[in-house]
Each structure stands twice: as structure tokens, then as C-alpha cells.
Amino acid sequence: EDKVVQSPLSLVVHEGDTVTLNCSYEVTNFRSLLWYKQEKKAPTFLFMLTSSGIEKKSGRLSSILDKKELSSILNITATQTGDSAIYLCAVAIIQGAQKLVFGQGTRLTINP
Amino acid sequence: GAGVSQSPSNKVTEKGKDVELRCDPISGHTALYWYRQSLGQGLEFLIYFQGNSAPDKSGLPSDRFSAERTGGSVSTLTIQRTQQEDSAVYLCASSFRAYTAEVLWETQYFGPGTRLLVL
């Protein structure tokens, strides 16, 4: 069974701290790994990773994929209260169609 | 609008009633997905449409669930004889599939979701 596991499930830090969110997966027919930020209801796309060891950056956020370890991390530096959200990791697999298998999410709370 | 839209945003219904949830994908996106997010759970794949191909219904939890996509655009997810365990946020996503050097590139963009509560 395809599985994506995120850790920690919940994290509370102070503004300005740096956080690292983890995602590990066991899937067949891996195509890519995606990170989403979910505030309220709709997840918004952050990164798509297909190659191992290549860091993707967007402002204070960065992410990297390790295909050998079947994992990815999402780093957020100099956190702000607006970073508070659920961060979802999803792995795209091919089973006929391309599907996303999601992890449980990490609920990140940034306190002022 | 430029994004995926869904309606209604909230729906409260009584157990046993049928409900219809609507999704308008981003114009030009050929692929459309339905997911369900139950309280405290991750996102669960339900059904997938790609162009004119037969839909992939492998994620539908029971035969009470069905979906159609008319004209390759708008999609409707129907839940018949709703049960309390159907209460969840139902999210729709659309994407445009592209191939580069035989690598499938696809990013799914999500709508705001419909929060369904079955009493």
C-alpha cells in the first residue's frame, strides 16, 4: 500500500525560529514529491521535487528530496506568524492516472 | 476567475439525503481530481478525469458516490443517501499535464473546497 508519513504532526515555535518538516514515503511508481501549504480549506502549491539532492527555494522556504532515503524536508527560516498553517506532503504516483498520495500533514503554529 | 472554484462552500444535510457538489476547474486544464479530507485525516483521493478518457474511480469509497464531468470542464460529485461518515471537506483540483523528455510534469491546483456536514 502506498504510504506518505509526515513528522512532526504538530509543531509550535516562536517567530524568528527555523523549522524543518519531514516527509517520508513508500510508494510504487514514484513520479514527484510535492509540498502544499493549507490555510483554511484549500492547499496552495509550494514545491514540486523530482530530482534527488537539488534544493528548491522560494524566499524563506526551501525543500530537498532524497530518493535514496525516500524522504524530503521542508525548511522555513525566520518564521513569521503568517507561516502558521498545515503543511502537506504529497507523492505523485502513476497508477493508470497520476494520483497524489498525501501525508497527514504537519500543523505548524508560529507564536509572536 | 483564474482559480478553481467550488460550490457550495458549505452544505448541511440530513442523513439519507442526496447532495451534489460542483467544481469549475481552471480554464484549459484537462485533468480534474476530487479528494476528501475528513477531520484529522489527510487528503484521500476519490476520482480522476483526464480529457475524454474513462474516469479513474478507484478511490470512491462506495457506490453511493459518483461523479461526472460535462463537456470536459465542470464536474459534479454526487453522494446519494448520505451518511454521517460522509461529513468532510471535499476538494477539487485541476491540472494541465505536460511531458518533457518523457517526464510527466503536473501540478494540481486546488479549489477552496466544500465543507459537508451530514446530521
Side-chain angles (χ1 to χ4, degrees), chain A residues 70-91:
Chain A
L70 306 182
S71 65
S72 173
I73 59 171
L74 175 68
N75 279 321
I76 309 175
T77 59
T79 52
Q80 302 171 358
T81 55
D83 296 328
S84 296
I86 296 173
Y87 289 83
L88 293 167
C89 173
V91 172

Side-chain angles (χ1 to χ4, degrees), chain B residues 7-8 30 37 46 60 62 79 92 94 99:
Chain B
S7 62
T30 54
Q37 188 170 35
L46 296 177
L60 294 178
S62 78
I79 309 173
C92 172
S94 72
Y99 291 86

Side-chain angles (χ1 to χ4, degrees), chain A residues 32-52:
Chain A
S32 61
L33 186 144
L34 300 95
W35 284 96
Y36 287 87
K37 178 181 181 182
Q38 186 174 21
E39 299 168 280
K40 298 179 182 178
K41 285 192 284 189
T44 55
F45 171 76
L46 295 175
F47 298 109
M48 180 169 71
L49 306 163
T50 55
S51 300
S52 201

Side-chain angles (χ1 to χ4, degrees), chain A residues 95 99-100, chain B residues 34-36 43-48 55-63 65-66 77 90:
Chain A
Q95 277 182 351
K99 301 176 186 175
L100 293 184
Chain B
W34 283 98
Y35 293 89
R36 176 170 71 172
L43 279 160
E44 174 190 5
F45 167 81
L46 296 177
I47 188 169
Y48 161 83
D56 178 347
K57 305 178 183 180
S58 60
L60 294 178
S62 78
D63 58 10
F65 287 72
S66 63
L77 177 70
Y90 289 82

Side-chain angles (χ1 to χ4, degrees), chain B residues 67-86:
Chain B
E68 61 178 24
R69 190 178 183 192
T70 54
S73 180
V74 171
S75 177
T76 302
L77 177 70
T78 301
I79 309 173
Q80 295 178 308
R81 305 180 303 281
T82 51
Q83 304 293 312
Q84 288 181 331
E85 62 262 28
D86 299 334

